[in-house]
Amino acid sequence: MTHTPQRGFPEAVSHGLAQKNLGPNVADADLADVACSTDLRLYSEMTSTQDILAIALAQFPLPSEVFAPGGTFWLTLYLVGDPARYVMARPALEANGWKNLCNHDDFAGFSYPKRKVRNDVGEVRDMLQSVIATCHDMGMGISLIDADIAFDPKRSAFRTLYKAA
């Protein structure tokens, strides 16, 4: 199933905020403090690296009409956590080729790094195993992992590989 990306907070966080009667139309910037202080508990119990890998890799092979066999795509992580922990994790992510989409993540507690990979289950497994371990070591939760056909969300279609419960 191919989806069009949506802007804003990960779905679980947005859903949690709507349940707090803040309404669905509150601006993302206004929600940052509330999300960081209240809904990050949704990610406090991290799924193991092996469980995340198993869920993500079960999505392969990706649909060939969207993701060419042997081609490339962008793995995208939707990270959530304490902004100070992200500041510590960011150098390791960048050193491994992850490029961030969000300019305000250092204070908002959300980050959307992407990395180009070959459409090869072995390469994806190795890349995810490394980055998930880094995120867990730094106390960052992973709310979603997807495969994007383009770096720019306006031109992309994606397939969800993992979604936190």
Side-chain angles (χ1 to χ4, degrees), residues 20-153:
K20 291 181 181 1
N21 296 321
L22 295 175
N25 297 319
V26 178
D28 285 351
D30 296 333
L31 296 176
D33 290 333
V34 176
C36 287
S37 64
T38 60
D39 286 303
L40 293 182
R41 66 177 153 40
L42 294 171
Y43 304 100
S44 62
E45 292 184 26
M46 291 186 208
T47 304
S48 77
T49 300
Q50 294 307 314
D51 288 345
I52 293 172
L53 277 173
I55 292 166
L57 296 178
Q59 307 308 310
F60 284 81
L62 296 174
S64 60
E65 64 275 5
V66 178
F67 299 93
T72 60
F73 63 87
W74 291 89
L75 268 178
T76 306
L77 305 175
Y78 293 75
L79 303 180
V80 62
D82 182 312
R85 291 188 180 272
Y86 176 73
V87 169
M88 292 187 312
R90 189 175 190 161
L93 295 172
E94 289 175 349
N96 286 308
W98 293 89
K99 298 173 184 179
N100 201 346
L101 290 178
C102 182
N103 293 326
H104 305 291
D105 56 358
D106 288 338
F107 65 88
F110 296 93
S111 174
Y112 311 99
K114 288 183 169 241
R115 187 177 193 293
K116 198 171 210 174
V117 296
R118 278 185 313 114
N119 188 1
D120 173 81
V121 72
E123 183 172 325
V124 171
R125 180 195 63 237
D126 293 346
M127 185 55 55
L128 284 177
Q129 191 165 14
S130 173
V131 75
I132 293 167
T134 298
C135 292
H136 280 184
D137 289 348
M138 297 294 181
M140 297 296 301
I142 300 172
S143 63
L144 191 78
I145 299 172
D146 61 38
D148 285 322
I149 61 169
F151 184 80
D152 180 359

